[in-house]
Amino acid sequence: MAGTAYVIGTFDTKAAELNYVAGLLRAANLPVVTVDVGTHMPAADADYSAEAVADYHPQGRTAVLNLGDRGAAVTAMTQALLGFMGARRDVGGMLGLGGSGGTSIIAPAMRGQPIGLPKLMVSTLAAGDVGPFVGVHDITMMYPVTDISGLNRLSRVILGNAAHALAGMMRHAVPVQADSRPALGFSMFGVTTPCIQQLTARLSNDFECQVFHANGPGGRSLEAIAGAGLLQGMVDITTTEAADHLLGGVCTAGPERFDVVARTGIPWVGSCGALDMVNFWAPETIPLQYSGRLFHAHNANVTLMRTTAEELQRIAAWISAKLNASSGPVRLLLPEGGTSMLDAPGQKFHDPAANAALFAAFERHFLVSDSHKLIRVPHHINEPAFVGVAEQHVRAVMARA
């Protein structure tokens, strides 16, 4: 165990609860610091007052406190807490308590801490969509069931569990193992799993293989890790998030997908994995504009739509423009036998004409050079022969890097 537990919240409204969890952490023999991020009434019982935190705002505390506009004050305190926590050198873990305002203030500061450092946010918003608060970071969200408004027989148990969870994470830190192998990030979907499993098995003796689910958050995580310099190469076999971004699917990684390749020049070997599909939730959620299209029920909650030749040409142009901007080595593999489990002979999404349009569009838009190569592979993406070609190119670009 190393470092101090930082307990953060609005002491002007939640002092009893914050002091309760701080006391439990101290009882677990952890050093504790309490931090007030309230923006309205002064509170005297935190180790660091709201004024002390507000001093870390670029314009000072007057830009944070007593503004009269709660939204503006919350936004300003969010920025101040980021600066405050960024200046700490003893952080061993963070525990935050909050409603919508407190969560909005504390979560960004948690995202600013290193991956692996324990971070637990008890939030009344935790039963909903926590994506805007968690982002692509390892924040644990806990729902308090009751509002965080006073201690009672239920809140004491739930808040106590939160304190003990943080204590457990801090006191039993997982040892960091030294690994001299270069780290590679892989993108995978269920329908490209055979490819990735074979490929990582072939490469794992020489590379640390980190696999990311290409479901939107997974692609963002892959690129965040790469952008932080924690990967030496990307094996982006499953680029399906581009289809969801351009066509309104639910597994989009956003418009910034692939930007990290251009920004860093990281070695990139990739393919067209699952570009034959766009992901939606249950059938009733599918936009009316797609009525009459070819669908496949992946399960009761996920419906897949087959992409058309015209859509695939748009996708190829978009991906090519992103990859063309990279100064690093790029290898784009085109699996002529099919791009997913569903895009294989006899399967529902098998459409050689649509795939031909995809590959032709890549040939039109992808700029070939000494460092950027476009390779047609006469095999299905999940076949061992395709995996062998992918392995060859991964090893080649990593050897040069």
Side-chain angles (χ1 to χ4, degrees):
M1 186 275 296
T4 298
Y6 276 70
V7 175
I8 308 172
T10 54
F11 273 78
D12 54 357
T13 59
K14 296 173 173 55
E17 299 92 323
L18 290 158
N19 285 322
Y20 171 68
V21 296
L24 292 175
L25 289 166
R26 292 189 182 101
N29 295 318
L30 288 170
V32 177
V33 164
T34 54
V35 181
D36 181 19
V37 290
T39 60
H40 182 52
M41 295 182 293
D45 52 354
D47 296 317
Y48 286 94
S49 66
E51 290 85 355
V53 177
D55 284 338
Y56 281 82
H57 191 279
Q59 280 80 53
R61 67 175 65 179
T62 58
V64 180
L65 303 173
N66 301 314
L67 296 183
D69 182 333
R70 183 173 184 271
V74 166
T75 300
M77 183 60 84
T78 301
Q79 189 175 3
L81 182 63
L82 268 169
F84 173 84
M85 292 304 302
R88 303 304 102 190
R89 296 295 177 263
D90 63 341
V91 184
M94 295 175 67
L95 175 58
L97 309 183
S100 60
T103 306
S104 297
I105 293 169
I106 299 166
M110 289 182 167
R111 296 198 299 269
Q113 294 295 313
I115 289 175
L117 184 132
K119 317 167 192 69
L120 196 157
M121 184 71 218
V122 183
S123 170
T124 55
L125 302 180
D129 178 9
V130 299
F133 304 105
V134 175
V136 294
H137 299 268
D138 56 337
I139 299 173
T140 301
M141 299 287 287
M142 177 180 283
Y143 184 56
V145 183
T146 65
D147 200 351
I148 305 174
S149 181
L151 292 170
N152 54 62
R153 68 183 70 181
L154 180 57
S155 67
R156 281 189 176 90
V157 172
I158 294 170
L159 295 178
N161 286 340
H164 295 149
L166 185 74
M169 287 188 275
M170 291 182 63
R171 296 189 65 82
H172 302 282
V174 178
V176 177
Q177 295 184 346
D179 195 331
S180 61
R181 296 173 299 168
L184 300 177
F186 295 74
S187 56
M188 185 177 79
F189 225 33
V191 290
T192 60
T193 295
C195 174
I196 301 304
Q197 288 183 333
Q198 293 174 75
L199 189 53
T200 55
R202 289 171 179 242
L203 294 169
S204 59
N205 285 339
D206 302 306
F207 300 93
E208 182 186 68
C209 300
Q210 302 178 17
V211 179
F212 297 81
H213 193 187
N215 61 350
R220 293 195 298 273
S221 298
L222 167 62
E223 300 206 340
I225 296 295
L230 301 178
L231 297 176
Q232 283 68 60
M234 291 175 64
V235 187
D236 206 355
I237 297 297
T238 311
T239 48
T240 186
E241 289 157 321
D244 281 60
H245 168 62
L246 293 174
L247 302 176
V250 298
C251 289
T252 174
E256 296 82 18
R257 185 69 163 92
F258 308 104
D259 284 352
V260 73
V261 185
R263 189 167 65 250
T264 65
I266 187 172
W268 188 94
V269 177
S271 187
C272 312
L275 286 183
D276 57 311
M277 61 186 65
V278 180
N279 296 263
F280 296 104
W281 299 132
E284 58 270 18
T285 69
I286 298 171
L288 291 176
Q289 70 193 76
Y290 295 127
S291 297
R293 293 286 294 275
L294 176 60
F295 295 101
H296 172 75
H298 183 64
N299 57 45
N301 298 311
V302 176
T303 307
L304 312 177
M305 180 181 76
R306 209 325 173 172
T307 44
T308 66
E310 185 277 330
E311 290 165 347
L312 288 168
Q313 291 175 74
R314 287 176 52 204
I315 294 165
W318 190 79
I319 293 175
S320 295
K322 297 275 190 170
L323 298 177
N324 290 342
S326 175
S327 61
V330 173
R331 300 291 185 272
L332 178 56
L333 312 180
L334 307 181
E336 295 180 314
T339 62
S340 82
M341 285 182 180
L342 289 175
D343 178 23
Q347 298 301 310
K348 194 170 185 178
F349 281 1
H350 190 51
D351 188 343
N355 287 351
L358 172 68
F359 303 148
F362 271 122
E363 290 186 325
R364 287 195 303 273
H365 297 286
F366 183 85
L367 300 180
V368 176
S369 68
D370 289 342
S371 61
H372 288 205
K373 306 293 185 184
L374 186 68
I375 302 101
R376 281 183 174 261
V377 184
H379 305 290
H380 188 275
I381 198 167
N382 288 327
E383 290 179 4
F386 177 88
V387 174
V389 174
E391 178 193 7
Q392 171 191 341
H393 286 282
V394 170
R395 292 188 181 279
V397 299
M398 294 308 298
R400 292 181 64 182

